[in-house]
Amino acid sequence: MRKTSLRGNPSLLPKYDIMNVQVTVRYGLMQRCERSIITIPGPSKGGHLEYTDYECRPFPRSVKDKCDDENRLFCALWTSAQYFTELGIGFAAMGLAALLIGVSTHSRRRRVWRAVAGLLFQLVTFILVTELYRKERFPAFEHAKPGVGYVLNAVSWVSAADRGHQWAAGNRAYKPIQGC
């Protein structure tokens, strides 16, 4: 069995090639999807028959993913990441509403941007998934590569942490004291 990896999906993606069978497994935050492609040489020269199956299931599962035994820590952290994402979506929606109301009522920018702090939940999710992937806490992650969505998420957090913007503070922006 030869193990390779694919890029292009927003999650962890191991790919397995076995003779005429290609199996690609996509691990998302809340589900695991498996695509099987079986290629059989056809009767004509250069022809072939192809069978494709695509199946998704909730992830992680206690029995199938061994959450009761050896993967207990992984399953607990992965499920926590799911909850943090759901909380983050709720806070992001409230933050967006506060941002729209604040901009439309000419509220001070500094007060409006505090509402966007709900994105912290998304950061916690990103940190949990990164740590689980980095330490290969789940056996299938051994040969997995991060997808495009994961890389874009990493770039967005790095660019956001780069520096604050003076325009966000309005007239009361922080200005360093010169000469100290």
Side-chain angles (χ1 to χ4, degrees):
M1 178 165 62
R2 185 183 71 182
K3 294 181 182 179
T4 57
S5 64
L6 274 180
R7 292 180 185 230
N9 284 340
S11 54
L12 301 173
L13 231 173
K15 176 183 173 183
Y16 304 94
D17 290 326
I18 309 166
M19 296 294 280
N20 293 328
V21 179
Q22 181 185 43
V23 179
T24 305
V25 181
R26 181 185 153 265
Y27 290 93
L29 200 53
M30 298 184 190
Q31 68 179 2
R32 173 193 183 274
C33 295
E34 182 176 312
R35 173 174 299 202
S36 302
I37 302 173
I38 300 171
T39 306
I40 302 169
S44 63
K45 185 177 181 181
H48 65 277
L49 301 172
E50 191 172 279
Y51 170 75
T52 302
D53 183 35
Y54 191 75
E55 184 179 325
C56 292
R57 68 170 173 87
F59 178 77
R61 289 290 210 174
S62 60
V63 176
K64 285 187 177 181
D65 300 315
K66 300 177 183 167
C67 290
D68 295 334
D69 299 325
E70 60 207 47
N71 293 331
R72 182 172 290 200
L73 177 63
F74 168 80
C75 293
L77 291 174
W78 199 264
T79 304
S80 297
Q82 292 175 1
Y83 291 130
F84 279 120
T85 297
E86 291 170 0
L87 281 170
I89 290 170
F91 280 111
M94 290 188 303
L96 181 62
L99 192 63
L100 291 174
I101 292 169
V103 169
S104 66
T105 60
H106 302 292
S107 179
R108 291 190 183 267
R109 289 183 194 149
R110 198 174 281 187
R111 273 189 255 144
V112 172
W113 283 107
R114 288 181 192 156
V116 184
L119 293 175
L120 185 64
F121 287 106
Q122 297 298 330
L123 180 61
V124 170
T125 298
F126 179 74
I127 290 169
L128 281 172
V129 169
T130 300
E131 193 62 18
L132 291 171
Y133 170 69
R134 188 177 71 82
K135 291 191 175 179
E136 297 175 353
R137 296 276 186 183
F138 192 66
F141 291 173
E142 184 178 334
H143 296 285
K145 299 286 184 200
V148 173
Y150 178 86
V151 172
L152 290 175
N153 196 350
V155 169
S156 71
W157 285 116
V158 168
S159 65
D162 184 28
R163 62 185 173 96
H165 295 284
Q166 188 173 1
W167 60 265
N171 294 331
R172 297 183 181 194
Y174 170 78
K175 295 178 179 110
I177 299 172
Q178 299 296 327
C180 290

